[in-house]
Amino acid sequence: MISPFEDVIIQTVCRILIPFIQLYGLYVIAHGHSSPGGGFQGGVILGASFILLCLSYDLQEIKKRLSQRANVIFLSVGVIIYAGIGIVCLLLGGNYLDYSWLRQILPVDPVEARSIGIFGIEVGVGVTVMAVMISIFLDLASEEEQKGS
Amino acid sequence: MVWQLNLILLLFVLICAIASITVKDLLSSAIIFGVYSFFMCLLWAEMGSVDVAFTEASVGAGVSTIFFIVAILKTTRRSKD
């Protein structure tokens, strides 16, 4: 559906712009617990950078950079990070996602442990949202090639 | 919080919402819906809810507009009714 076309202005601008968009997405994720933003917004920005790559080149470009299998693995790893941190807190004696109990395995005080815990959660949410956005876009945009499988 | 600015933004939101459901071309409708999301984002940012405004700007005005356009490209551009 998205036919490949050669436009040197669009491709050059997007190639220069995409690393900065991804850097901004990582900034939003990393500062999510102390400023506006967070895992969801940063993940959407990261996913939008891959969608921009797909729009400015073609569908094969994004499959070269990030294969469908790697995308599914990212999707699952984010959920595992989220649930894993919660279950680690559960195993250490606290409630689910009660980050202050992470102080037993980390050499920090409870306040610092809470900050590290919520950062891990943001990373998990961001990875999952990025993979889901790319997956929805690829499912919508790709043609009948996936209809048989 | 300036109520005059709020009123102007709310007026733009209403205009965009009505235009988005009355226009016949579905591609124009999707673009106007993106504009609606952006004015909604400005309204929320002006009311002091920066986090919601951020979500609206990235999801509503960014990704969901792209999804609408891709869905329109897969189907037909003209509305039947």
Side-chain angles (χ1 to χ4, degrees), chain A residues 24 37 40-41 44 137 140 142, chain B residues 51 54-55 58-59 63 70 74:
Chain A
Y24 182 61
F40 187 76
Q41 289 94 330
V44 168
F137 179 76
L140 277 175
S142 55
Chain B
D51 215 349
F54 202 163
T55 310
S58 59
V59 179
V63 174
V70 172
K74 295 285 279 189

Side-chain angles (χ1 to χ4, degrees), chain A residues 18-109:
Chain A
I18 284 169
F20 292 101
I21 295 174
Q22 288 176 342
L23 197 64
Y24 182 61
L26 291 176
Y27 172 83
V28 170
I29 290 179
H31 289 252
H33 52 286
S34 56
S35 66
F40 187 76
Q41 289 94 330
V44 168
I45 292 172
L46 279 178
S49 73
F50 281 97
I51 292 175
L52 181 63
L53 181 75
C54 180
L55 288 176
S56 57
Y57 287 79
D58 58 344
L59 270 179
Q60 300 308 315
E61 182 71 20
I62 193 170
K63 286 177 182 166
K64 251 187 293 177
R65 304 285 174 121
L66 184 70
S67 67
Q68 207 95 21
R69 174 180 291 272
N71 204 11
V72 172
I73 289 172
F74 270 127
L75 202 154
S76 315
V77 162
V79 178
I80 288 172
I81 290 173
Y82 188 99
I85 290 176
I87 289 174
V88 164
C89 300
L90 204 61
L91 291 178
L92 288 176
N95 288 323
Y96 189 71
L97 295 178
D98 189 358
Y99 315 117
S100 62
W101 291 84
L102 287 174
R103 67 179 183 270
Q104 296 179 352
I105 54 171
L106 295 173
V108 290
D109 54 333

